[in-house]
Coordinates of all heavy atoms in Angstrom, one line a residue:
K54 N 76.5 97.3 85.6 CA 76.5 96.2 84.7 C 76.5 94.9 85.5 O 77.0 94.8 86.7 CB 77.8 96.2 83.8 CG 77.9 97.4 82.9 CD 79.2 97.3 82.1 CE 79.3 98.5 81.1 NZ 79.5 99.8 81.9
T55 N 76.0 93.9 84.9 CA 76.1 92.5 85.4 C 76.7 91.7 84.3 O 76.1 91.6 83.2 CB 74.7 91.9 85.8 OG1 74.1 92.7 86.8 CG2 74.9 90.5 86.2
F56 N 77.9 91.1 84.6 CA 78.6 90.4 83.5 C 78.2 89.0 83.5 O 77.9 88.4 84.6 CB 80.0 90.6 83.7 CG 80.5 92.0 83.6 CD1 80.7 92.8 84.8 CD2 80.8 92.6 82.4 CE1 81.1 94.1 84.7 CE2 81.1 94.0 82.3 CZ 81.4 94.7 83.5
P57 N 78.1 88.3 82.4 CA 77.7 86.9 82.3 C 78.5 85.9 83.0 O 79.8 86.2 83.1 CB 77.6 86.7 80.8 CG 78.6 87.6 80.2 CD 78.6 88.8 81.1
P58 N 78.0 84.8 83.5 CA 78.8 83.7 84.1 C 79.9 83.3 83.1 O 79.7 83.4 81.9 CB 77.7 82.6 84.3 CG 76.5 83.3 84.4 CD 76.6 84.5 83.4
P59 N 81.0 82.8 83.6 CA 81.3 82.4 85.0 C 81.7 83.6 85.9 O 82.0 83.4 87.1 CB 82.4 81.4 85.0 CG 83.2 81.9 83.7 CD 82.1 82.3 82.7
C60 N 81.7 84.8 85.4 CA 82.0 86.0 86.2 C 81.2 86.0 87.4 O 79.9 85.9 87.4 CB 81.8 87.3 85.3 SG 82.2 88.8 86.2
I61 N 81.8 86.2 88.5 CA 81.1 86.4 89.8 C 81.1 87.9 90.3 O 82.2 88.4 90.4 CB 81.7 85.5 90.9 CG1 81.6 84.0 90.5 CG2 81.0 85.7 92.2 CD1 82.2 83.1 91.5
M62 N 80.0 88.4 90.5 CA 79.9 89.8 90.8 C 80.2 90.0 92.3 O 79.9 89.1 93.1 CB 78.6 90.4 90.5 CG 78.1 90.3 89.0 SD 79.3 91.1 87.9 CE 79.0 92.8 88.4
G63 N 80.6 91.2 92.6 CA 80.8 91.6 94.1 C 80.2 92.9 94.3 O 79.6 93.5 93.4
D64 N 80.4 93.4 95.5 CA 79.8 94.8 95.9 C 80.8 95.6 96.5 O 81.9 95.2 96.8 CB 78.5 94.6 96.8 CG 78.8 93.9 98.0 OD1 79.8 94.3 98.8 OD2 78.1 92.9 98.4
E65 N 80.5 96.8 96.8 CA 81.4 97.9 97.3 C 82.0 97.5 98.6 O 83.1 98.0 99.0 CB 80.8 99.2 97.4 CG 80.7 99.9 96.0 CD 82.1 100.4 95.5 OE1 82.9 100.8 96.4 OE2 82.3 100.3 94.3
S66 N 81.3 96.7 99.4 CA 81.9 96.3 100.8 C 83.2 95.7 100.7 O 84.0 95.8 101.6 CB 80.9 95.4 101.4 OG 80.8 94.1 100.8
I67 N 83.5 95.1 99.6 CA 84.8 94.4 99.4 C 86.0 95.4 99.5 O 87.1 95.2 100.1 CB 84.9 93.6 98.1 CG1 83.9 92.5 98.0 CG2 86.4 93.1 97.8 CD1 83.8 91.8 96.7
M68 N 85.7 96.6 99.0 CA 86.7 97.7 98.9 C 86.5 98.7 100.0 O 87.0 99.9 99.9 CB 86.6 98.3 97.5 CG 86.9 97.4 96.4 SD 88.5 96.5 96.4 CE 89.6 97.9 95.9
S69 N 86.0 98.4 101.1 CA 85.8 99.3 102.2 C 87.2 99.6 102.8 O 88.2 98.8 102.6 CB 84.9 98.6 103.3 OG 85.5 97.4 103.8
Q70 N 87.3 100.7 103.5 CA 88.6 101.0 104.1 C 89.0 100.1 105.2 O 88.2 99.8 106.0 CB 88.5 102.5 104.6 CG 88.4 103.5 103.5 CD 89.7 103.6 102.6 OE1 90.8 103.8 103.1 NE2 89.5 103.3 101.3
K71 N 90.3 99.7 105.2 CA 90.8 98.8 106.1 C 92.1 99.4 106.8 O 92.3 100.6 106.7 CB 91.0 97.4 105.5 CG 89.8 96.9 104.8 CD 90.1 95.5 104.1 CE 88.8 95.1 103.4 NZ 88.6 95.9 102.1
E72 N 92.9 98.5 107.3 CA 94.1 99.0 108.0 C 95.1 99.6 107.1 O 95.8 100.5 107.4 CB 94.8 97.8 108.8 CG 94.0 97.3 109.9 CD 93.2 96.1 109.5 OE1 92.7 96.1 108.3 OE2 93.0 95.2 110.3
H73 N 95.1 99.2 105.8 CA 96.0 99.7 104.8 C 95.3 100.0 103.5 O 95.3 99.2 102.6 CB 97.2 98.7 104.6 CG 98.3 99.3 103.8 ND1 99.3 100.1 104.4 CD2 98.7 99.1 102.5 CE1 100.2 100.4 103.5 NE2 99.9 99.9 102.3
G74 N 94.7 101.2 103.5 CA 93.8 101.5 102.3 C 92.6 100.6 102.3 O 91.9 100.4 103.2
T75 N 92.5 99.9 101.1 CA 91.4 99.0 100.9 C 91.8 97.6 101.3 O 91.0 96.7 101.2 CB 90.9 98.9 99.5 OG1 92.0 98.6 98.6 CG2 90.3 100.3 99.1
S76 N 93.0 97.4 101.8 CA 93.5 96.0 102.2 C 93.9 96.0 103.7 O 94.1 97.1 104.3 CB 94.7 95.7 101.3 OG 94.3 95.7 99.9
H77 N 94.2 94.8 104.2 CA 94.6 94.7 105.5 C 96.1 94.9 105.6 O 96.6 95.2 106.7 CB 94.2 93.4 106.1 CG 92.7 93.2 106.3 ND1 92.0 93.9 107.2 CD2 91.8 92.5 105.5 CE1 90.7 93.6 107.1 NE2 90.6 92.7 106.2
T78 N 96.8 94.6 104.6 CA 98.3 94.7 104.7 C 98.9 95.3 103.5 O 98.2 95.4 102.4 CB 98.9 93.2 104.7 OG1 98.5 92.5 103.5 CG2 98.4 92.5 105.9
P79 N 100.1 95.8 103.6 CA 100.8 96.4 102.3 C 101.2 95.2 101.4 O 101.0 94.1 101.7 CB 102.1 97.0 102.9 CG 101.9 97.0 104.4 CD 100.9 96.0 104.7
V80 N 101.6 95.6 100.2 CA 102.1 94.5 99.3 C 103.3 93.9 99.8 O 104.1 94.5 100.6 CB 102.3 95.1 97.9 CG1 101.0 95.6 97.3 CG2 103.4 96.1 97.9
Q81 N 103.6 92.7 99.3 CA 104.8 92.0 99.7 C 106.1 92.7 99.3 O 106.1 93.4 98.3 CB 104.7 90.5 99.1 CG 103.6 89.7 99.5 CD 103.5 88.4 98.7 OE1 104.4 88.2 97.8 NE2 102.6 87.6 99.0
Q82 N 107.1 92.4 100.0 CA 108.4 92.8 99.5 C 108.9 92.0 98.5 O 108.5 90.8 98.3 CB 109.4 92.8 100.7 CG 109.0 93.8 101.8 CD 109.1 95.2 101.5 OE1 110.0 95.7 100.7 NE2 108.3 96.0 102.1
N83 N 109.9 92.5 97.6 CA 110.5 91.7 96.6 C 109.5 91.0 95.7 O 109.4 89.8 95.5 CB 111.4 90.6 97.2 CG 112.5 91.2 98.1 OD1 113.1 92.2 97.6 ND2 112.8 90.7 99.3
L84 N 108.6 91.8 95.1 CA 107.6 91.3 94.2 C 108.3 90.6 93.0 O 109.4 90.9 92.6 CB 106.7 92.4 93.7 CG 105.8 93.1 94.8 CD1 105.2 94.3 94.2 CD2 104.8 92.1 95.3
R85 N 107.5 89.7 92.4 CA 108.0 88.9 91.2 C 108.3 89.8 90.1 O 107.6 90.9 89.9 CB 107.0 87.8 90.8 CG 106.8 86.8 91.9 CD 105.6 85.9 91.7 NE 105.7 85.0 90.5 CZ 104.7 84.3 90.0 NH1 103.5 84.6 90.5 NH2 104.9 83.5 89.0
W86 N 109.1 89.3 89.2 CA 109.4 90.0 87.9 C 110.0 91.4 88.1 O 110.0 92.2 87.1 CB 108.2 90.0 87.0 CG 107.6 88.7 86.9 CD1 108.2 87.5 86.5 CD2 106.2 88.3 87.2 NE1 107.3 86.5 86.6 CE2 106.1 86.9 87.0 CE3 105.1 89.1 87.7 CZ2 104.9 86.2 87.2 CZ3 103.9 88.4 87.9 CH2 103.8 87.0 87.7
G87 N 110.5 91.8 89.3 CA 111.1 93.1 89.5 C 110.1 94.2 89.5 O 110.4 95.4 89.3
C88 N 108.8 93.9 89.8 CA 107.8 95.0 89.9 C 108.1 96.0 91.0 O 108.5 95.6 92.0 CB 106.4 94.3 90.1 SG 105.8 93.5 88.6
D89 N 107.8 97.2 90.7 CA 108.1 98.3 91.6 C 107.2 98.3 92.8 O 105.9 98.2 92.7 CB 108.0 99.6 90.9 CG 108.3 100.8 91.8 OD1 109.5 100.9 92.2 OD2 107.4 101.5 92.2
W90 N 107.7 98.3 94.0 CA 107.0 98.1 95.3 C 106.1 99.4 95.5 O 104.8 99.2 95.8 CB 107.8 98.0 96.5 CG 107.1 97.6 97.7 CD1 106.9 96.4 98.3 CD2 106.5 98.6 98.7 NE1 106.1 96.5 99.4 CE2 105.9 97.8 99.7 CE3 106.4 100.0 98.7 CZ2 105.1 98.4 100.8 CZ3 105.7 100.6 99.8 CH2 105.1 99.8 100.7
D91 N 106.6 100.6 95.3 CA 105.8 101.8 95.5 C 104.6 101.9 94.6 O 103.5 102.2 95.0 CB 106.6 103.0 95.4 CG 107.6 103.2 96.5 OD1 107.3 102.8 97.6 OD2 108.7 103.8 96.3
T92 N 104.8 101.6 93.3 CA 103.7 101.6 92.3 C 102.7 100.5 92.7 O 101.5 100.8 92.7 CB 104.3 101.2 90.9 OG1 105.2 102.2 90.5 CG2 103.2 101.3 89.9
A93 N 103.2 99.3 93.1 CA 102.2 98.3 93.4 C 101.4 98.6 94.7 O 100.2 98.4 94.7 CB 103.0 97.0 93.7
D94 N 102.0 99.1 95.7 CA 101.2 99.4 96.9 C 100.2 100.5 96.6 O 99.1 100.5 97.2 CB 102.2 99.9 98.0 CG 101.5 99.8 99.4 OD1 101.1 98.7 99.8 OD2 101.5 100.8 100.1
R95 N 100.6 101.5 95.8 CA 99.6 102.6 95.5 C 98.5 102.1 94.7 O 97.3 102.4 95.0 CB 100.4 103.7 94.7 CG 99.5 104.9 94.4 CD 100.3 106.0 93.7 NE 100.7 105.6 92.4 CZ 102.0 105.3 92.0 NH1 102.9 105.3 93.0 NH2 102.3 104.9 90.8
I96 N 98.7 101.3 93.7 CA 97.7 100.8 92.8 C 96.8 99.8 93.5 O 95.6 99.8 93.4 CB 98.3 100.3 91.5 CG1 98.8 101.4 90.6 CG2 97.2 99.4 90.7 CD1 99.5 101.0 89.4
C97 N 97.4 98.9 94.3 CA 96.6 97.8 94.9 C 95.8 98.3 96.1 O 94.6 97.9 96.2 CB 97.6 96.8 95.5 SG 98.5 95.7 94.3
N98 N 96.2 99.3 96.8 CA 95.6 99.6 98.1 C 95.1 101.0 98.2 O 94.2 101.3 99.1 CB 96.6 99.4 99.3 CG 97.1 98.0 99.3 OD1 96.3 97.0 99.1 ND2 98.5 97.8 99.4
Y99 N 95.5 101.9 97.4 CA 95.1 103.3 97.5 C 94.5 103.9 96.2 O 94.8 105.0 95.8 CB 96.2 104.2 98.1 CG 96.6 103.8 99.4 CD1 97.7 103.0 99.7 CD2 95.9 104.4 100.6 CE1 98.0 102.6 100.9 CE2 96.3 104.0 101.8 CZ 97.3 103.2 102.0 OH 97.7 102.8 103.3
N100 N 93.8 103.1 95.5 CA 93.4 103.4 94.1 C 92.2 102.6 93.7 O 92.1 101.4 94.0 CB 94.6 103.1 93.2 CG 94.2 103.1 91.8 OD1 93.8 104.0 91.1 ND2 94.3 101.9 91.2
R101 N 91.3 103.2 92.9 CA 90.2 102.5 92.4 C 90.1 102.6 90.9 O 89.3 101.8 90.3 CB 88.9 103.0 93.0 CG 88.8 102.9 94.5 CD 88.8 101.5 95.0 NE 87.6 100.8 94.5 CZ 86.3 100.9 95.0 NH1 86.1 101.7 96.0 NH2 85.4 100.2 94.4

Side-chain angles (χ1 to χ4, degrees):
K54 299 180 179 68
T55 299
F56 299 98
C60 178
I61 300 179
M62 303 299 295
D64 58 52
E65 278 293 321
S66 64
I67 297 171
M68 300 300 283
S69 62
Q70 289 299 301
K71 305 178 185 70
E72 294 92 328
H73 192 78
T75 57
S76 305
H77 292 290
T78 61
V80 298
Q81 300 172 357
Q82 298 293 327
N83 301 315
L84 294 170
R85 295 164 73 191
W86 310 305
C88 287
D89 181 71
W90 189 93
D91 289 328
T92 301
D94 197 56
R95 182 177 68 254
I96 289 176
C97 290
N98 301 318
Y99 294 96
N100 161 68
R101 302 292 302 277

